[in-house]
Amino acid sequence: MLSVHTLEARDNAMLDVAFQNPAESPETIRREIASALATATSQLKDRRVPYAELRTALTPQVDKRELALMFDSAVMDGWYGGQAAEAVLPHLNRKGNHSILSGDIIWKDLDTLFAALDKEAVIWGRPKIYMSNQIYVVYVTNLSDSAFNALVAGVKGAPGAMGYVDCTYAGVIKTILSTCIGTRYVKYGGRFINSHPFDSEPDANENGPFWPLEDFGYDFVSIEDIYFDLLLCYKIEAIVPAFAFNDGHFSLAAAAGIWKDPRSIPMFVEEAKLEYLAKEKGGSLAKVGLTDLPTEELAKKLQEKLASSYIYNLVWNSDKDFSNFATMIEFNNNGRRTRLRAVLKYEDEQLGLVSLFG
């Protein structure tokens, strides 16, 4: 049984080096990923962190929000990343599980960036931004409404704090951030997980990003970077399909043992499945106006949405040779944006819908 919350394959040097001809060895890819997962799970267990309980931090949740807090590094003193950390840490929900990403915005097209900020961001004051990398971002996943609001209210007024973007739904800023910031920690309650070099001592626990965690009552653990980078990095969703190429191929290899782009595989929705979903999940389908769609139209919509989404929750049951995965899809129905989680299975060289809920 293989169950992977998320696989960071968009720009993973380990995968690219290990599998220079991946189309020739999808089963080998699955075995190697299973081996990496076993090692990562063991290292986490040694540090009293159950991998299974990190799912909500590592994958998008239909009922949770994502937040990008922005800081103007030009007006901050010294190490602005540390100052941003000090602004954020006191206002995190101590019991929550979250992925925390950070970094400077690196984007050449300033006109596009500034237009997107004007449309999508809430800006405090009148910051003078001359270049993209002047904006430092701390990105937090899996937030309830109250946790989202507490972070926004708590950070406002901190040195350099210039505003925020609600990144719950797809947008230009969210796509830009998917290309330039990376996961620093996975927060598991009062413990922060990060990475250490693979040649460190087996019992190493380092605080590589150097956030002042202990000053705020948190502790930290770390696992080897090759496993952290592959299995514990949060993937911010993008609206540019090309970004998902490697991710889709490697993820499907892990789940189904094949080397194909999931966006190119025919989608099939059974009449009986749609009837069941309409009956059991009618509320979710009504939100997005899908209750009366023919199966062919629903399959087409799912395929379109899959074209700009990553896939998560990769499952392979070796005993039954059964595989499935999930993807987050968004719909705009009468001006209301809604996200649903679609669970899909690969069978008979096509994708079938297992469930759709929100």
Short mmCIF file of all heavy atoms in Angstrom, two decimals, residues 307-348:
data_model
loop_
_atom_site.label_atom_id
_atom_site.label_comp_id
_atom_site.label_asym_id
_atom_site.label_seq_id
_atom_site.Cartn_x
_atom_site.Cartn_y
_atom_site.Cartn_z
N ALA A 307 -6.43 20.28 -16.22
CA ALA A 307 -5.36 20.83 -17.04
C ALA A 307 -4.56 21.91 -16.32
O ALA A 307 -3.43 22.20 -16.69
CB ALA A 307 -5.92 21.39 -18.34
N SER A 308 -5.14 22.53 -15.31
CA SER A 308 -4.40 23.58 -14.60
C SER A 308 -4.27 23.28 -13.11
O SER A 308 -4.05 24.19 -12.32
CB SER A 308 -5.11 24.93 -14.79
OG SER A 308 -6.44 24.88 -14.30
N SER A 309 -4.37 22.01 -12.75
CA SER A 309 -4.27 21.64 -11.34
C SER A 309 -3.19 20.59 -11.14
O SER A 309 -2.83 19.85 -12.05
CB SER A 309 -5.60 21.07 -10.83
OG SER A 309 -6.61 22.04 -10.87
N TYR A 310 -2.68 20.54 -9.92
CA TYR A 310 -1.78 19.48 -9.52
C TYR A 310 -2.59 18.35 -8.92
O TYR A 310 -3.76 18.52 -8.59
CB TYR A 310 -0.78 20.00 -8.49
CG TYR A 310 0.07 21.13 -8.99
CD1 TYR A 310 0.05 22.37 -8.38
CD2 TYR A 310 0.89 20.94 -10.10
CE1 TYR A 310 0.81 23.40 -8.85
CE2 TYR A 310 1.65 21.98 -10.58
CZ TYR A 310 1.62 23.22 -9.95
OH TYR A 310 2.39 24.24 -10.42
N ILE A 311 -1.97 17.19 -8.77
CA ILE A 311 -2.68 16.07 -8.16
C ILE A 311 -2.02 15.70 -6.84
O ILE A 311 -0.82 15.87 -6.65
CB ILE A 311 -2.77 14.86 -9.11
CG1 ILE A 311 -1.39 14.28 -9.43
CG2 ILE A 311 -3.47 15.27 -10.40
CD1 ILE A 311 -1.46 13.03 -10.31
N TYR A 312 -2.86 15.23 -5.91
CA TYR A 312 -2.45 14.99 -4.54
C TYR A 312 -3.00 13.64 -4.08
O TYR A 312 -3.70 12.95 -4.80
CB TYR A 312 -3.03 16.06 -3.61
CG TYR A 312 -2.77 17.48 -4.05
CD1 TYR A 312 -3.68 18.15 -4.86
CD2 TYR A 312 -1.62 18.15 -3.64
CE1 TYR A 312 -3.44 19.46 -5.26
CE2 TYR A 312 -1.38 19.45 -4.04
CZ TYR A 312 -2.29 20.10 -4.84
OH TYR A 312 -2.05 21.38 -5.24
N ASN A 313 -2.70 13.31 -2.80
CA ASN A 313 -3.26 12.11 -2.17
C ASN A 313 -3.15 10.90 -3.09
O ASN A 313 -4.14 10.28 -3.48
CB ASN A 313 -4.72 12.34 -1.78
CG ASN A 313 -4.86 13.43 -0.73
OD1 ASN A 313 -3.89 13.79 -0.05
ND2 ASN A 313 -6.06 13.97 -0.59
N LEU A 314 -1.92 10.57 -3.44
CA LEU A 314 -1.64 9.49 -4.38
C LEU A 314 -1.72 8.16 -3.65
O LEU A 314 -1.00 7.93 -2.67
CB LEU A 314 -0.24 9.67 -4.98
CG LEU A 314 0.12 11.08 -5.45
CD1 LEU A 314 1.59 11.17 -5.81
CD2 LEU A 314 -0.76 11.50 -6.62
N VAL A 315 -2.58 7.28 -4.11
CA VAL A 315 -2.80 6.00 -3.44
C VAL A 315 -2.63 4.86 -4.43
O VAL A 315 -3.15 4.91 -5.55
CB VAL A 315 -4.22 5.93 -2.83
CG1 VAL A 315 -4.49 4.55 -2.25
CG2 VAL A 315 -4.38 7.00 -1.76
N TRP A 316 -1.89 3.83 -4.00
CA TRP A 316 -1.76 2.61 -4.79
C TRP A 316 -1.91 1.42 -3.86
O TRP A 316 -1.15 1.28 -2.89
CB TRP A 316 -0.43 2.55 -5.50
CG TRP A 316 -0.20 1.24 -6.22
CD1 TRP A 316 -1.03 0.64 -7.11
CD2 TRP A 316 0.94 0.38 -6.10
NE1 TRP A 316 -0.50 -0.54 -7.56
CE2 TRP A 316 0.72 -0.73 -6.96
CE3 TRP A 316 2.12 0.45 -5.38
CZ2 TRP A 316 1.63 -1.76 -7.09
CZ3 TRP A 316 3.03 -0.59 -5.50
CH2 TRP A 316 2.80 -1.67 -6.35
N ASN A 317 -2.90 0.60 -4.11
CA ASN A 317 -3.11 -0.63 -3.36
C ASN A 317 -2.50 -1.77 -4.17
O ASN A 317 -3.06 -2.19 -5.18
CB ASN A 317 -4.60 -0.87 -3.12
CG ASN A 317 -4.86 -2.05 -2.21
OD1 ASN A 317 -4.19 -3.07 -2.29
ND2 ASN A 317 -5.85 -1.92 -1.34
N SER A 318 -1.34 -2.24 -3.74
CA SER A 318 -0.61 -3.24 -4.51
C SER A 318 -1.35 -4.57 -4.55
O SER A 318 -1.25 -5.31 -5.54
CB SER A 318 0.79 -3.44 -3.93
OG SER A 318 0.71 -3.77 -2.54
N ASP A 319 -2.09 -4.91 -3.50
CA ASP A 319 -2.82 -6.18 -3.47
C ASP A 319 -3.92 -6.23 -4.52
O ASP A 319 -4.14 -7.26 -5.16
CB ASP A 319 -3.42 -6.43 -2.08
CG ASP A 319 -2.36 -6.63 -1.01
OD1 ASP A 319 -1.24 -7.08 -1.37
OD2 ASP A 319 -2.63 -6.33 0.17
N LYS A 320 -4.61 -5.11 -4.67
CA LYS A 320 -5.73 -5.07 -5.61
C LYS A 320 -5.37 -4.36 -6.91
O LYS A 320 -6.21 -4.23 -7.81
CB LYS A 320 -6.93 -4.36 -4.96
CG LYS A 320 -7.45 -5.06 -3.72
CD LYS A 320 -8.65 -4.32 -3.14
CE LYS A 320 -9.20 -5.04 -1.92
NZ LYS A 320 -10.37 -4.35 -1.33
N ASP A 321 -4.10 -3.90 -7.01
CA ASP A 321 -3.64 -3.14 -8.17
C ASP A 321 -4.62 -2.01 -8.49
O ASP A 321 -5.05 -1.81 -9.62
CB ASP A 321 -3.48 -4.04 -9.40
CG ASP A 321 -2.67 -3.34 -10.49
OD1 ASP A 321 -1.89 -2.43 -10.15
OD2 ASP A 321 -2.82 -3.70 -11.67
N PHE A 322 -4.95 -1.27 -7.44
CA PHE A 322 -5.92 -0.17 -7.55
C PHE A 322 -5.21 1.13 -7.22
O PHE A 322 -4.44 1.22 -6.26
CB PHE A 322 -7.07 -0.41 -6.57
CG PHE A 322 -8.03 0.75 -6.48
CD1 PHE A 322 -9.04 0.91 -7.42
CD2 PHE A 322 -7.93 1.70 -5.46
CE1 PHE A 322 -9.93 1.98 -7.35
CE2 PHE A 322 -8.80 2.77 -5.38
CZ PHE A 322 -9.80 2.90 -6.33
N SER A 323 -5.45 2.16 -8.02
CA SER A 323 -4.82 3.46 -7.75
C SER A 323 -5.83 4.58 -7.91
O SER A 323 -6.74 4.50 -8.73
CB SER A 323 -3.64 3.69 -8.70
OG SER A 323 -4.08 3.74 -10.04
N ASN A 324 -5.67 5.61 -7.10
CA ASN A 324 -6.46 6.83 -7.29
C ASN A 324 -5.69 8.02 -6.77
O ASN A 324 -4.63 7.89 -6.15
CB ASN A 324 -7.86 6.73 -6.68
CG ASN A 324 -7.85 6.59 -5.17
OD1 ASN A 324 -6.92 7.06 -4.49
ND2 ASN A 324 -8.87 5.96 -4.62
N PHE A 325 -6.21 9.19 -7.05
CA PHE A 325 -5.59 10.44 -6.60
C PHE A 325 -6.66 11.52 -6.57
O PHE A 325 -7.77 11.34 -7.08
CB PHE A 325 -4.42 10.85 -7.51
CG PHE A 325 -4.80 11.06 -8.95
CD1 PHE A 325 -5.29 12.28 -9.39
CD2 PHE A 325 -4.64 10.03 -9.86
CE1 PHE A 325 -5.64 12.47 -10.72
CE2 PHE A 325 -4.98 10.21 -11.21
CZ PHE A 325 -5.47 11.43 -11.63
N ALA A 326 -6.31 12.64 -5.97
CA ALA A 326 -7.27 13.74 -5.86
C ALA A 326 -6.70 14.99 -6.51
O ALA A 326 -5.49 15.16 -6.64
CB ALA A 326 -7.58 14.03 -4.39
N THR A 327 -7.60 15.86 -6.92
CA THR A 327 -7.20 17.16 -7.43
C THR A 327 -8.24 18.18 -6.97
O THR A 327 -9.41 17.84 -6.74
CB THR A 327 -7.09 17.17 -8.96
OG1 THR A 327 -6.54 18.41 -9.41
CG2 THR A 327 -8.44 16.95 -9.62
N MET A 328 -7.81 19.41 -6.81
CA MET A 328 -8.72 20.48 -6.40
C MET A 328 -9.18 21.23 -7.65
O MET A 328 -8.35 21.66 -8.46
CB MET A 328 -8.02 21.45 -5.45
CG MET A 328 -8.94 22.48 -4.83
SD MET A 328 -10.05 21.75 -3.62
CE MET A 328 -8.90 21.36 -2.30
N ILE A 329 -10.46 21.36 -7.82
CA ILE A 329 -10.99 22.07 -8.98
C ILE A 329 -11.86 23.23 -8.51
O ILE A 329 -12.50 23.16 -7.47
CB ILE A 329 -11.77 21.13 -9.91
CG1 ILE A 329 -12.90 20.42 -9.16
CG2 ILE A 329 -10.85 20.11 -10.54
CD1 ILE A 329 -13.71 19.49 -10.03
N GLU A 330 -11.84 24.30 -9.28
CA GLU A 330 -12.58 25.50 -8.94
C GLU A 330 -13.65 25.79 -9.99
O GLU A 330 -13.43 25.56 -11.18
CB GLU A 330 -11.65 26.70 -8.81
CG GLU A 330 -10.66 26.59 -7.67
CD GLU A 330 -9.84 27.85 -7.50
OE1 GLU A 330 -10.18 28.89 -8.12
OE2 GLU A 330 -8.84 27.80 -6.76
N PHE A 331 -14.74 26.30 -9.52
CA PHE A 331 -15.84 26.67 -10.40
C PHE A 331 -16.32 28.07 -10.02
O PHE A 331 -16.26 28.47 -8.86
CB PHE A 331 -17.01 25.70 -10.29
CG PHE A 331 -16.69 24.30 -10.73
CD1 PHE A 331 -16.20 23.38 -9.82
CD2 PHE A 331 -16.87 23.92 -12.04
CE1 PHE A 331 -15.90 22.09 -10.20
CE2 PHE A 331 -16.56 22.63 -12.45
CZ PHE A 331 -16.09 21.71 -11.52
N ASN A 332 -16.81 28.78 -11.02
CA ASN A 332 -17.41 30.08 -10.79
C ASN A 332 -18.86 29.98 -11.24
O ASN A 332 -19.16 29.89 -12.43
CB ASN A 332 -16.68 31.17 -11.59
CG ASN A 332 -17.10 32.57 -11.17
OD1 ASN A 332 -18.23 32.78 -10.72
ND2 ASN A 332 -16.19 33.52 -11.29
N ASN A 333 -19.76 29.96 -10.29
CA ASN A 333 -21.18 29.79 -10.59
C ASN A 333 -21.94 31.03 -10.13
O ASN A 333 -22.08 31.29 -8.94
CB ASN A 333 -21.73 28.54 -9.88
CG ASN A 333 -23.16 28.23 -10.26
OD1 ASN A 333 -23.61 28.54 -11.37
ND2 ASN A 333 -23.90 27.63 -9.35
N ASN A 334 -22.37 31.83 -11.11
CA ASN A 334 -23.12 33.07 -10.82
C ASN A 334 -22.34 34.00 -9.89
O ASN A 334 -22.88 34.57 -8.96
CB ASN A 334 -24.48 32.72 -10.20
CG ASN A 334 -25.38 31.97 -11.15
OD1 ASN A 334 -25.37 32.24 -12.35
ND2 ASN A 334 -26.14 31.01 -10.63
N GLY A 335 -21.03 34.11 -10.19
CA GLY A 335 -20.20 35.02 -9.43
C GLY A 335 -19.68 34.48 -8.12
O GLY A 335 -18.92 35.17 -7.42
N ARG A 336 -20.03 33.27 -7.77
CA ARG A 336 -19.57 32.67 -6.52
C ARG A 336 -18.52 31.62 -6.82
O ARG A 336 -18.76 30.68 -7.56
CB ARG A 336 -20.74 32.03 -5.77
CG ARG A 336 -20.33 31.38 -4.46
CD ARG A 336 -21.52 30.78 -3.75
NE ARG A 336 -21.13 30.15 -2.50
CZ ARG A 336 -21.97 29.53 -1.68
NH1 ARG A 336 -23.26 29.47 -1.99
NH2 ARG A 336 -21.53 28.97 -0.57
N ARG A 337 -17.35 31.77 -6.23
CA ARG A 337 -16.26 30.83 -6.45
C ARG A 337 -16.35 29.70 -5.44
O ARG A 337 -16.52 29.93 -4.24
CB ARG A 337 -14.91 31.54 -6.35
CG ARG A 337 -14.77 32.66 -7.35
CD ARG A 337 -13.49 33.44 -7.14
NE ARG A 337 -12.34 32.73 -7.69
CZ ARG A 337 -11.10 33.21 -7.61
NH1 ARG A 337 -10.86 34.36 -6.99
NH2 ARG A 337 -10.09 32.54 -8.13
N THR A 338 -16.22 28.49 -5.93
CA THR A 338 -16.33 27.31 -5.09
C THR A 338 -15.24 26.32 -5.47
O THR A 338 -14.91 26.16 -6.65
CB THR A 338 -17.70 26.63 -5.25
OG1 THR A 338 -18.73 27.58 -4.99
CG2 THR A 338 -17.85 25.46 -4.30
N ARG A 339 -14.70 25.66 -4.46
CA ARG A 339 -13.71 24.61 -4.72
C ARG A 339 -14.31 23.25 -4.33
O ARG A 339 -14.97 23.13 -3.30
CB ARG A 339 -12.43 24.85 -3.90
CG ARG A 339 -11.76 26.16 -4.21
CD ARG A 339 -10.33 26.19 -3.76
NE ARG A 339 -10.17 25.94 -2.33
CZ ARG A 339 -8.99 25.75 -1.74
NH1 ARG A 339 -7.90 25.75 -2.47
NH2 ARG A 339 -8.92 25.56 -0.44
N LEU A 340 -14.04 22.28 -5.16
CA LEU A 340 -14.43 20.90 -4.88
C LEU A 340 -13.20 20.00 -5.02
O LEU A 340 -12.32 20.28 -5.83
CB LEU A 340 -15.52 20.42 -5.84
CG LEU A 340 -16.86 21.17 -5.85
CD1 LEU A 340 -17.79 20.52 -6.87
CD2 LEU A 340 -17.50 21.19 -4.48
N ARG A 341 -13.19 18.96 -4.22
CA ARG A 341 -12.13 17.96 -4.36
C ARG A 341 -12.66 16.82 -5.22
O ARG A 341 -13.69 16.22 -4.91
CB ARG A 341 -11.68 17.43 -3.00
CG ARG A 341 -10.54 16.41 -3.11
CD ARG A 341 -10.23 15.81 -1.76
NE ARG A 341 -9.74 16.81 -0.83
CZ ARG A 341 -8.48 17.23 -0.78
NH1 ARG A 341 -7.57 16.73 -1.59
NH2 ARG A 341 -8.10 18.14 0.10
N ALA A 342 -11.96 16.53 -6.29
CA ALA A 342 -12.32 15.42 -7.15
C ALA A 342 -11.36 14.26 -6.90
O ALA A 342 -10.14 14.44 -6.95
CB ALA A 342 -12.25 15.83 -8.62
N VAL A 343 -11.92 13.10 -6.61
CA VAL A 343 -11.12 11.89 -6.46
C VAL A 343 -11.28 11.08 -7.74
O VAL A 343 -12.40 10.80 -8.18
CB VAL A 343 -11.56 11.06 -5.24
CG1 VAL A 343 -10.71 9.79 -5.12
CG2 VAL A 343 -11.45 11.90 -3.97
N LEU A 344 -10.15 10.74 -8.37
CA LEU A 344 -10.16 10.06 -9.66
C LEU A 344 -9.41 8.74 -9.57
O LEU A 344 -8.47 8.60 -8.78
CB LEU A 344 -9.51 10.95 -10.73
CG LEU A 344 -10.09 12.36 -10.88
CD1 LEU A 344 -9.19 13.20 -11.78
CD2 LEU A 344 -11.50 12.30 -11.44
N LYS A 345 -9.79 7.80 -10.38
CA LYS A 345 -9.08 6.53 -10.46
C LYS A 345 -8.59 6.32 -11.89
O LYS A 345 -9.21 6.78 -12.85
CB LYS A 345 -9.98 5.37 -10.04
CG LYS A 345 -11.18 5.13 -10.96
CD LYS A 345 -12.01 3.95 -10.49
CE LYS A 345 -13.24 3.75 -11.40
NZ LYS A 345 -14.06 2.60 -10.97
N TYR A 346 -7.46 5.63 -12.01
CA TYR A 346 -6.95 5.27 -13.33
C TYR A 346 -7.23 3.80 -13.55
O TYR A 346 -6.79 2.94 -12.79
CB TYR A 346 -5.44 5.54 -13.43
CG TYR A 346 -4.88 5.13 -14.77
CD1 TYR A 346 -5.08 5.92 -15.89
CD2 TYR A 346 -4.16 3.94 -14.91
CE1 TYR A 346 -4.57 5.54 -17.13
CE2 TYR A 346 -3.65 3.56 -16.13
CZ TYR A 346 -3.86 4.37 -17.24
OH TYR A 346 -3.36 3.98 -18.46
N GLU A 347 -7.99 3.51 -14.61
CA GLU A 347 -8.40 2.14 -14.87
C GLU A 347 -8.71 2.00 -16.35
O GLU A 347 -9.37 2.88 -16.94
CB GLU A 347 -9.64 1.80 -14.04
CG GLU A 347 -10.01 0.33 -14.01
CD GLU A 347 -11.15 0.07 -13.04
OE1 GLU A 347 -12.22 0.70 -13.20
OE2 GLU A 347 -10.97 -0.74 -12.12
N ASP A 348 -8.23 0.93 -16.96
CA ASP A 348 -8.50 0.67 -18.38
C ASP A 348 -8.09 1.85 -19.26
O ASP A 348 -8.81 2.25 -20.19
CB ASP A 348 -9.98 0.33 -18.61
CG ASP A 348 -10.40 -0.93 -17.86
OD1 ASP A 348 -9.54 -1.82 -17.69
OD2 ASP A 348 -11.56 -1.00 -17.44
#
